[in-house]
Amino acid sequence: MTGQVIKFYNSFFFVQVAENLIPCKLRGIIKRDKKSGSSVYPGDFVEISPLADGTGVITKILPRKSLLNRPAVANVDRVILTFAAANPNLHPLLLNRFIVLAEQAHLDEIIICVNKIDLAAENFLSEYESLYKIIRTSTLTGENIDTLKNILSSGITVFAGPSGVGKSSLLNAIDANLKLKVGNVSEKILRGKHTTRISELIKFHDGFLVDTPGFSAVDLKDVGITKNNLRYYFKEFAQFSSACKFLNDCSHDHEPNCGVINAVSEGKILRERYENYLSILKEL
């Protein structure tokens, strides 16, 4: 039997097979096969063998078209990186760390959603519009909620971002039947409370939504991002890197005659993005 993993909970993978949701364990040989990267994630298509007690065993993981490493979801079509215009304030470095994660997954679409736009200027984050689609939303006024609905009606869409930015509130505004838990932003630390505990595929029209746990920090080292490949995840660098003196191994940091550094000085690359790149590069 073939199905799709909807969620992982209480040590079971819940696999949707036709109209049935079957709790499954992993076959031992899959768990030991480290070379294949065979950990199972929500979104994975798998083959299972049913057991007499109504559960099943996952015997094979089918090929993926994409894998978003954090939050870990397979076969994702798009990610909506959700941040708040205020309360909590948007930190550009954190935004760009999430963008790097999304770029690494080679998704069809990377969209930035600026929520709580009723608390800030109308064109908040406008300098990023040449790079990514920006949607500005408000659950208070209903701004662009219908736009989100249209985008989410097909494929697998992951909502990712730090805690407290209103991801669950947005999904509840899109479909009140979801009734996702919503936490208030702590006045003491101005960070949201972690209300989403697991990654789960939620059916929406002809697609799935994934409301993921919020993160206040993103560790890039654990997902294979290194000082040598980081530059490939800042997509605007590509058109200028061909002018680098050290074409194949320029870090775009200190090298002479670097096409990327020159583009920054000429205003062709957003300086904020470049400075965030340097911060992440130093960390790696």
Side-chain angles (χ1 to χ4, degrees), residues 18-269:
E19 299 300 319
N20 300 314
L21 192 61
I22 302 174
C24 296
K25 294 280 191 176
L26 274 181
R27 185 179 177 184
I29 192 172
I30 294 180
K31 288 190 288 186
R32 292 192 296 269
D33 188 9
K34 295 180 180 179
K35 289 184 179 180
S36 68
S38 60
S39 294
V40 178
Y41 302 105
D44 268 326
F45 288 96
V46 295
E47 291 182 1
I48 71 168
S49 292
L51 302 177
D53 63 357
T55 66
V57 177
I58 294 174
T59 58
K60 184 177 181 181
I61 304 165
L62 301 182
R64 302 172 179 133
K65 73 172 184 178
S66 65
L67 176 63
L68 186 63
N69 277 301
R70 183 168 183 186
V73 183
N75 297 311
V76 176
D77 294 285
R78 69 186 64 83
V79 63
I80 297 183
L81 302 176
T82 311
F83 287 78
N87 193 27
N89 292 332
L90 187 151
H91 296 285
L93 180 57
L94 185 58
L95 167 63
N96 282 297
R97 291 169 75 89
F98 273 99
I99 290 175
V100 166
L101 282 170
E103 288 285 3
Q104 184 202 34
H106 303 292
L107 306 181
D108 294 337
E109 290 183 90
I110 298 174
I111 299 171
I112 299 173
C113 176
V114 182
N115 196 28
K116 306 183 185 180
I117 199 63
D118 49 281
L119 301 178
E122 182 179 348
N123 291 322
F124 193 87
L125 218 62
S126 59
E127 63 271 24
Y128 280 71
E129 287 185 312
S130 62
L131 298 171
Y132 298 101
K133 181 179 179 64
I134 309 288
I135 300 176
R136 301 175 181 86
T137 60
S138 169
T139 56
L140 183 65
T141 66
E143 184 172 352
N144 282 328
I145 298 300
D146 286 340
T147 301
L148 270 183
K149 287 182 181 179
N150 292 333
I151 292 172
L152 305 176
S153 60
S154 63
I156 295 179
T157 303
V158 170
F159 277 77
S163 302
V165 299
K167 297 188 302 295
S168 296
S169 296
L170 271 175
L171 292 176
N172 285 334
I174 290 165
D175 186 347
N177 293 323
L178 296 176
K179 298 180 181 178
L180 298 174
K181 292 182 180 179
V182 177
N184 295 322
V185 175
S186 166
E187 293 182 2
K188 182 178 180 181
I189 60 174
L190 290 180
R191 277 207 308 264
K193 299 176 182 178
H194 295 250
T195 53
T196 304
R197 302 300 181 186
I198 59 172
S199 295
E200 177 181 358
L201 270 61
I202 303 166
K203 187 67 177 174
F204 183 77
H205 293 280
D206 294 327
F208 289 99
L209 312 179
V210 185
D211 180 30
T212 63
F215 302 109
S216 58
V218 181
D219 190 347
L220 302 179
K221 297 178 183 178
D222 293 340
V223 295
I225 295 172
T226 70
K227 63 180 181 180
N228 296 321
N229 63 26
L230 176 66
R231 60 185 181 271
Y232 301 120
Y233 307 131
F234 283 75
K235 64 179 184 179
E236 66 271 38
F237 289 5
Q239 62 178 307
F240 302 106
S241 60
S242 60
C244 292
K245 178 179 180 180
F246 302 102
L247 182 61
N248 295 322
D249 57 359
C250 185
S251 68
H252 312 316
D253 177 8
H254 59 279
E255 294 87 351
N257 299 326
C258 171
V260 170
I261 293 176
N262 291 339
V264 174
S265 64
E266 295 169 4
K268 297 176 181 177
I269 290 178

